Amino acid sequence: MIFILFISFIILLRLGELVYSKRNEKWLLQNQAVEYGKSHYPFIVALHVLFILSLIVEYWVKQPVSYSFYFLIFYFTLLLFKAWVILSLGKFWNTKIYHIPNAPLIKKGPYQYIKHPNYLIVIVEIAIIPLVFHLYYTAIIFSILNGIMLWVRIKEENKALEI
């Protein structure tokens, strides 16, 4: 029952992020934003969909599965950091890479200290979410795949931000 509630929460949170991202995308495009990294975006979407499916399959195959209260608390604490990142970027936060020419970079919130705090959160999320239920295969495989994807994405985003 806890897994069903947890995975439902994860899915609803991701869908909420997509809705918020789409709303911000409209604002960004109205303000002459240019999109970068279009070619790799479908792979990011696929990675995250397969991640959710892998969680469900590994949980189902591994029965019975217990959960780690500490990793669960760590995950919900991580969400506070994620909220700080999203609130700091405001209308600039998006799941895609957009850049408004001549717009100053955001230097508030965690962006005062880290260049890409959102990606740090994604790295930790991809590892921690499966570890809540001791789903080690998903944690390892998707941490590696996510690392490869973020290497591509951060390179693309850094190019966009240099313009």
Side-chain angles (χ1 to χ4, degrees):
M1 183 64 165
I2 290 173
F3 180 78
I4 292 169
L5 290 172
F6 185 70
I7 201 72
S8 298
F9 175 79
I10 299 289
I11 292 167
L12 289 173
L13 187 62
R14 292 291 192 261
L15 291 173
E17 289 171 2
L18 289 174
V19 168
Y20 183 65
S21 177
K22 196 68 173 166
R23 188 171 52 202
N24 287 349
E25 181 178 31
K26 288 178 185 173
W27 178 85
L28 287 160
L29 291 172
Q30 289 171 352
N31 287 277
Q32 287 73 49
V34 177
E35 184 179 357
Y36 295 85
K38 283 183 185 182
S39 62
H40 75 266
Y41 187 74
F43 295 102
I44 290 176
V45 172
L47 177 88
H48 286 270
V49 169
L50 291 172
F51 173 68
I52 299 291
L53 292 174
S54 180
L55 289 167
I56 294 166
V57 168
E58 186 176 355
Y59 179 84
W60 183 72
V61 168
K62 192 176 175 186
Q63 291 299 315
V65 178
S66 62
Y67 71 95
S68 167
F69 181 74
Y70 298 109
F71 279 128
L72 186 63
I73 295 300
F74 184 77
Y75 172 69
F76 283 110
T77 303
L78 183 65
L79 288 181
L80 295 173
F81 188 58
K82 186 177 197 174
W84 187 32
V85 167
I86 292 170
L87 290 171
S88 295
L89 285 177
K91 291 183 180 276
F92 290 94
W93 185 85
N94 206 282
T95 59
K96 297 177 181 177
I97 301 171
Y98 281 105
H99 179 68
I100 297 175
N102 302 316
L105 291 179
I106 303 293
K107 296 283 186 181
K108 63 182 181 177
Y111 290 89
Q112 299 173 71
Y113 314 106
I114 304 169
K115 188 171 184 179
H116 297 289
N118 196 62
Y119 298 139
L120 178 61
I121 292 166
V122 172
I123 289 166
V124 176
E125 272 185 323
I126 294 290
I128 292 300
I129 290 170
L131 292 178
V132 170
F133 291 93
H134 311 287
L135 305 175
Y136 303 113
Y137 290 109
T138 300
I140 292 167
I141 291 166
F142 281 87
S143 288
I144 292 167
L145 293 173
N146 185 53
I148 294 166
M149 192 72 257
L150 286 178
W151 180 77
V152 170
R153 184 163 176 90
I154 290 170
K155 247 177 36 173
E156 191 68 32
E157 188 164 318
N158 284 339
K159 275 193 250 176
L161 295 176
E162 289 173 2
I163 293 174

